[in-house]
Structure formats: structure tokens, C-alpha cells
Amino acid sequence: MDDPNIIYGGDFENNYYLNLSSIGELILKNLKLGGSKHGFINGQTGESWSYDEILKFSIKISQALNNVGVKQNDIISIVAENCHQYMTVACGTFLMNAILAPFNYTYTKRELKHAFELINPKIVFVSSSTVKNVGSLSKEFSYMKHIITIDNSEHESAIPLKKFIENYSNASFDLPQRSIKAIDKEKKTVIIFQSSGTTGLPKGVEITHMNILSCKQGYNDDFKYLKPYGENLSNLGIAPWSHVMGFMGSFFALLSPERVHIFLPKFEGETYLKCLEKYKVKIIAVPPPIIVFLTKTPLFDKYDLTNLRVIFSGAAPLAKDVELAAIKRFNNRIIICQGYGMSETTLGVTGTFVQLKHGSVGKVGYGMYAKVIDSNGKSLGPNKVGELCFKGSRIMKGYFNNAKATAETIDKDGWLHTGDLGYFDNEHQFFIVDRLKELIKYKAFQVAPAEIEGLLLSHPKIKDAGVIGIPNNVVGELPFAFVVKLPEVELTEKEVQDFIKENASNAKWLRGGVKFVDEIPKNPSGKILRRELREAYKISRAKL
């Protein structure tokens, strides 16, 4: 590209993964490399699986899916906590060239209903904690043929995974032919992640085979930076696999059998520290709240964490002060690297495994282009703040069944407009400044204010509402609501917060608080002026 303000991340070091025919071929080749090695470990239970066991179980799942009529473009969903079976279901789906759609297991019944109506999954794998909600909803959707409990729990509306495999995996099919058959890997969707937008409820982000193969190639090319830390590196994952960072990080680790990957179903402080010590973990990829925990926990000195050498931070911005405090807590033995990405970019599009300038999210990834533009779309030079845009093989295919939203995000020249403000310096390191989008970032989750507002407006005592995110050093941002009550009604802050707790998942709770006001500021077309709400919040805090 001729524009000097467009930054290119450089060519891949080789094209091995880019030349594979599909994700199915990637799975078959890399799991076979692992053989009998036990390199995938549940840190909470101590259970470990060999790569041979994972491959064998994944193939059985493929056979069972095939024998209940799953076709190449059918969608398989998972609504469950992280576990070994979760990843084998994912691999089994990919081996069939079917499509995986993971959902957040903390979704309420209302949120699940929207997700199912959007995606239309043919089969849903659940856990004991989610089967009740999914089972009750399945009666409304004729396209949902089977519900399978991934942890083999019993429920009247579902079949345990063990029984599903026993009943349907007895007849084989030509797995290599299905997995390696020629497909258009640049257009064929392999996974659909949920991504909240500014308009409210989640959209489906379509990720292709080539998107993942490109990320995997870049991931492997970056391994050279880890050589100083020795062989057989162990890493620990904590992010939920319904989230792009959690899923892609653990999936790539699973397909890197030269390393050991430990995962946890959920975060619990002391369990996390025990795993770091027990497995002599050298690398972790975490959202900023985990780094805050490591920096502040009084349990820190109880465990030997001297093996930890690299912390990779992603999913939300990491404050420079937190970064420096963490390095100091580890007596300067660690490096902290940041990356930047979103569901729409498959994983990170900037980042590295070497320490860069504090606050930097790294350099542009292999095969990717980046630019910063002003409000008129003009590209900007170094140290000038504008909207970050990216182009290349990691950019999503689009939003599932939503051409309008896709066109609003990816322009006619293929540039994805992130809605985030940032800049690059003279050394082409990128920095995030703020967000143009209205999304609230709570921990690693994206929360759409419009969704909470819509829910608040369904309350019989609420006339109007506006929601913003307020800064919090521990979790990023907290949802805060301005509420207009109907005339002559009694309504307390706690009632409003409890209403959201009952109807929305954890990340959307109004932890920031509630303030009752006379009106919500809006422009002539009726759009909420969140900038004025933020100013009103600052003024109210200043008076305290």
C-alpha cells in the first residue's frame, strides 16, 4: 500500500498453517504430534488428558454428530464451564466442518433466548448449571434437535454425553475426507462468537477457517520470543471459553503439544496461585483484573511464583500504574506484554511476547495492516490520536445474518473500523487512548448500555433510563444507571439493582450504582447523550 501512514506487520516466517485445508486438518495433524503426552490439565481437579485421548474422543463426537444428521453448515452450541469435554466437542465439531457457537454459561434465560433466536443451533451441549434454562427454552425451537449434558448430568430434557456417544458413535464415516475436503477456507465459517454492539443485544461474529489458521501461524511465529525461557513451557488459562480470548488461547495451546496447558473452570484466588506453583507455570495470558489480584493479594508470599516469567494482558486496557506495580511485586523478574484485539479480529491484531514501552499494546501482527484515521477518514501519522482500523487475514467474515451491521463495521476496502481511539509512535508501537463505542468493559466482558436500558425500561416504575460505564481500577468499568421514575411512585436504588440482577448476567449488574434524575439528556433524534451523563456523574462525585 502506498500510504506511508499504513503500518504493515510483516510477512509470516513460513506458510505451513496457512496452507492447511481446514481447521479439521490442523486438529488431526497437531493432536497426533502430542501422542501419549498428558499436556491438557484441569488445574482444579488435577484431571489430565493425553493428546491421543483428546483426538480419540473428538472423533467419537464427530461420529455421533454425523449419525444424528449434522451437516457441514449446521451450528453446534456449547453453554458450559471450561472442561476437557468442552474442547473435545469443539474439536469434534470442527472435524466435521460444522460450525461452533459457544455461549456464556452465565447467560440468563432471556439472554439465551436471544442467542438461540439469532444463531438457531441444531444441537446444544450444556452443563448441570445450564441444562434447566436451555431445556425449558428448547420447547420453543423446533430446529433444536438434541440437548446433551457435557458433564453427564441427568435431566429429563437432555441426554448425557457418555450415552450420546454410546448410542450414536458406533457407525463410522470418512473422517479425513470430511475434515480435509476442499473448502473455501477464506469464506467458510468455523465459529461464531457473541459480541455486544452499541445497539444492545449481542451479534454473531463469523470467524473463518483462514482467520484461525492465520492467527495460529502468527502465534507460532511469535514462539521465538519465548525461547529464552526454556523448553516444555507451561501456561495457565482462566478466561471462559465462550470468550474469544479464552477459547482461542486454550485452543492454540491444545494444538501446541510441545507445551503444557493448565486451565481452570473458573477463577478462585488460592486455587489459581496453587496451580502457578504446582505446575511451575512460566506464561499466563489474562485480563487486567487477574494482574490486579496478583499485585494486591495477601496470599502472594504464601506461594512460590518464581517460575512465572511472562504475563500477557488482553481483553481490556491495562493501566500503566497497574503494570508497573505488578512488575515491582515480582521483583522485576517478569515482563508484561499487552495485546489488542476483539472478537471481530479473531484474537489479537497487535502484541508481542517481549516487553515494550509501558502502556503499549505492541506492534501490528504478521500479515496485518493498521492505520489511524480522523473523523473524515484521513489516515494520520505518528503520535496523532484517531480511530484504529485494521485489515488482513484475521478480520472476521462479518456479522451472522446482519449485512447492515457488517457494512457499518467493515468498509468497502476491507478495513475494519474498531471504534477505539489510539495512536502509534515513531517506532510503530500502538497505544489505546479511549473508546468511540459506547460499550462498557467489565473485566473481559463487553456490556452494551442499550441492553441494560431496554431492560430497565421494562420495569413498571421506570419512565426512562441511561447507562454509562464509570472507571474502576480493579475491573475496568462498572455499569451505572441514571433512572427517571414514573410520577408518584416509590422506587429505591436497591430495587433497581435487584431487578437487573434477576434479569441479566453478572457482568451487567449495576455495581456502579443508580442515580434518580428528572430526565435523560438526548439529541433531537432521541439518541442518549452519554457525554452529558458522564459529566453529570463527575459533577455529582465532585460534590461528595
Side-chain angles (χ1 to χ4, degrees):
M1 298 186 181
D2 296 332
D3 190 334
N5 294 326
I6 293 176
I7 311 301
Y8 179 53
D11 295 336
F12 292 101
E13 294 187 2
N14 66 73
N15 292 328
Y16 174 78
Y17 290 110
L18 301 179
N19 290 332
L20 295 180
S21 63
S22 67
I23 300 305
E25 185 178 10
L26 169 65
I27 291 168
L28 289 173
K29 286 181 178 293
N30 282 33
L31 289 183
K32 286 177 181 177
L33 288 174
S36 60
K37 177 183 176 182
H38 282 244
F40 203 61
I41 302 169
N42 184 325
Q44 185 179 70
T45 66
E47 180 186 16
S48 67
W49 283 28
S50 73
Y51 294 97
D52 283 339
E53 288 172 332
I54 292 171
L55 180 56
K56 182 179 179 181
F57 204 75
S58 299
I59 290 172
K60 284 185 175 293
I61 289 171
S62 289
Q63 291 171 341
L65 292 174
N66 178 75
N67 293 328
V68 295
V70 172
K71 305 299 182 186
Q72 179 171 297
N73 290 312
D74 287 337
I75 297 174
I76 309 298
S77 286
I78 308 178
V79 191
E81 299 86 344
N82 299 356
C83 63
H84 285 95
Q85 293 86 345
Y86 193 121
M87 203 54 75
T88 57
V89 168
C91 288
T93 301
F94 296 154
L95 287 170
M96 294 197 60
N97 282 330
I99 300 170
L100 182 71
F103 297 141
N104 188 334
Y105 70 88
T106 69
Y107 272 178
T108 63
K109 189 173 179 180
R110 179 186 68 88
E111 292 164 321
L112 277 174
K113 183 176 181 180
H114 168 76
F116 291 152
E117 289 174 339
L118 175 68
I119 301 298
N120 291 2
K122 190 169 186 175
I123 294 179
V124 182
F125 289 84
V126 298
S127 68
S128 57
S129 69
T130 63
V131 64
K132 184 178 179 181
N133 278 346
V134 175
S136 63
L137 285 170
S138 67
K139 300 168 185 176
E140 302 179 32
F141 307 124
S142 59
Y143 51 76
M144 200 177 292
K145 302 302 183 185
H146 295 278
I147 300 172
I148 301 158
T149 53
I150 206 167
D151 52 10
N152 292 308
S153 55
E154 298 284 345
H155 192 274
E156 60 184 6
S157 64
I159 178 174
L161 178 59
K162 182 178 179 181
K163 185 176 291 186
F164 177 69
I165 289 175
E166 289 174 352
N167 290 351
Y168 298 107
S169 67
N170 52 354
S172 63
F173 69 103
D174 191 345
L175 178 65
Q177 176 60 26
R178 176 70 70 88
S179 302
I180 304 176
K181 67 183 294 186
I183 60 170
D184 188 341
K185 57 189 177 185
E186 293 188 359
K187 294 182 179 179
K188 174 70 173 69
T189 300
V190 66
I191 191 167
I192 301 174
F193 288 111
Q194 298 285 294
S195 177
S196 294
T198 57
T199 55
L201 291 165
K203 299 187 288 290
V205 177
E206 289 194 72
I207 301 300
T208 68
H209 288 253
M210 181 55 85
N211 289 153
I212 294 180
L213 292 171
S214 175
C215 271
K216 174 61 175 167
Q217 187 67 65
Y219 182 86
N220 273 57
D221 289 352
D222 275 338
F223 278 172
K224 63 178 179 288
Y225 296 119
L226 300 177
K227 287 183 179 179
Y229 307 110
E231 302 296 327
N232 295 314
L233 299 180
S234 55
N235 60 284
L236 175 62
I238 184 61
W241 292 343
S242 58
H243 186 276
V244 63
M245 177 182 175
F247 183 87
M248 296 308 301
S250 289
F251 182 60
F252 285 164
L254 173 65
L255 298 178
S256 303
E258 68 276 14
R259 287 166 174 75
V260 175
H261 181 65
I262 305 98
F263 67 87
L264 289 170
K266 61 181 180 179
F267 179 76
E268 193 283 317
E270 190 143 16
T271 301
Y272 189 76
L273 293 169
K274 286 178 181 177
C275 285
L276 289 174
E277 179 183 73
K278 178 179 178 180
Y279 296 104
K280 299 181 179 180
V281 173
K282 290 189 176 182
I283 306 168
I284 56 175
V286 294
I290 304 298
I291 300 175
V292 173
F293 164 78
L294 290 171
T295 304
K296 296 186 176 182
T297 177
L299 298 170
F300 185 92
D301 294 325
K302 184 179 175 181
Y303 295 92
D304 179 3
L305 307 182
T306 55
N307 287 288
L308 187 61
R309 302 298 301 280
V310 180
I311 298 178
F312 191 88
S313 177
L318 176 67
K320 181 179 178 180
D321 290 345
V322 174
E323 180 183 345
L324 293 172
I327 293 172
K328 182 178 179 181
R329 185 73 188 269
F330 280 89
N331 293 321
N332 297 311
R333 291 193 311 269
I334 63 167
I335 65 168
I336 295 182
C337 317
Q338 285 200 68
Y340 171 84
M342 51 203 302
S343 300
E344 290 85 345
T345 63
T346 312
L347 197 56
V349 283
T350 73
T352 182
F353 285 114
V354 297
Q355 182 76 64
L356 296 172
K357 296 175 183 177
H358 297 301
S360 166
V361 295
K363 296 188 175 184
V364 185
Y366 296 104
M368 295 299 299
Y369 296 88
K371 65 179 179 179
V372 177
I373 62 172
D374 64 16
S375 57
N376 296 315
K378 179 184 176 182
S379 63
L380 302 172
N383 303 305
K384 294 182 179 179
V385 175
E387 183 183 9
L388 296 170
C389 299
F390 296 92
K391 182 177 181 178
S393 54
R394 304 185 194 186
I395 303 302
M396 68 171 181
K397 176 181 176 180
Y399 293 115
F400 184 68
N401 287 340
N402 196 335
K404 181 176 182 292
T406 301
E408 290 171 349
T409 304
I410 302 176
D411 65 28
K412 60 182 177 60
D413 295 319
W415 287 96
L416 182 139
H417 294 246
T418 66
D420 289 327
L421 291 171
Y423 66 94
F424 59 88
D425 66 12
N426 292 322
E427 296 174 346
H428 294 173
Q429 292 187 36
F430 278 74
F431 297 80
I432 307 300
V433 174
D434 203 348
R435 286 188 296 282
L436 286 172
K437 292 181 178 179
E438 298 171 343
L439 291 177
I440 298 167
K441 278 285 186 95
Y442 174 79
K443 295 185 177 179
F445 296 99
Q446 295 181 340
V447 177
E451 183 184 359
I452 303 177
E453 288 158 0
L455 190 54
L456 287 170
L457 291 174
S458 71
H459 192 289
K461 294 183 180 181
I462 293 177
K463 178 181 179 182
D464 204 357
V467 175
I468 60 171
I470 60 173
N472 181 276
N473 289 333
V474 177
V475 298
E477 292 178 311
L478 299 173
F480 180 98
F482 291 88
V483 172
V484 180
K485 296 185 290 188
L486 286 169
E488 300 178 0
V489 300
E490 293 294 325
L491 184 65
T492 67
E493 177 180 342
K494 185 176 185 303
E495 282 181 81
V496 175
Q497 290 175 312
D498 287 346
F499 177 73
I500 295 298
K501 277 188 178 182
E502 293 167 4
N503 291 280
S505 50
N506 187 284
K508 298 164 189 173
W509 295 358
L510 295 173
R511 289 181 171 84
V514 175
K515 181 177 176 60
F516 293 103
V517 294
D518 294 329
E519 65 177 359
I520 303 298
K522 298 178 180 179
N523 69 9
S525 66
K527 184 176 180 181
I528 293 175
L529 299 174
R530 297 190 200 281
R531 178 178 54 80
E532 293 189 16
L533 288 180
R534 293 188 186 97
E535 287 300 316
Y537 174 79
K538 290 178 182 177
I539 292 171
S540 67
R541 294 295 298 172
K543 291 179 179 179
L544 294 179

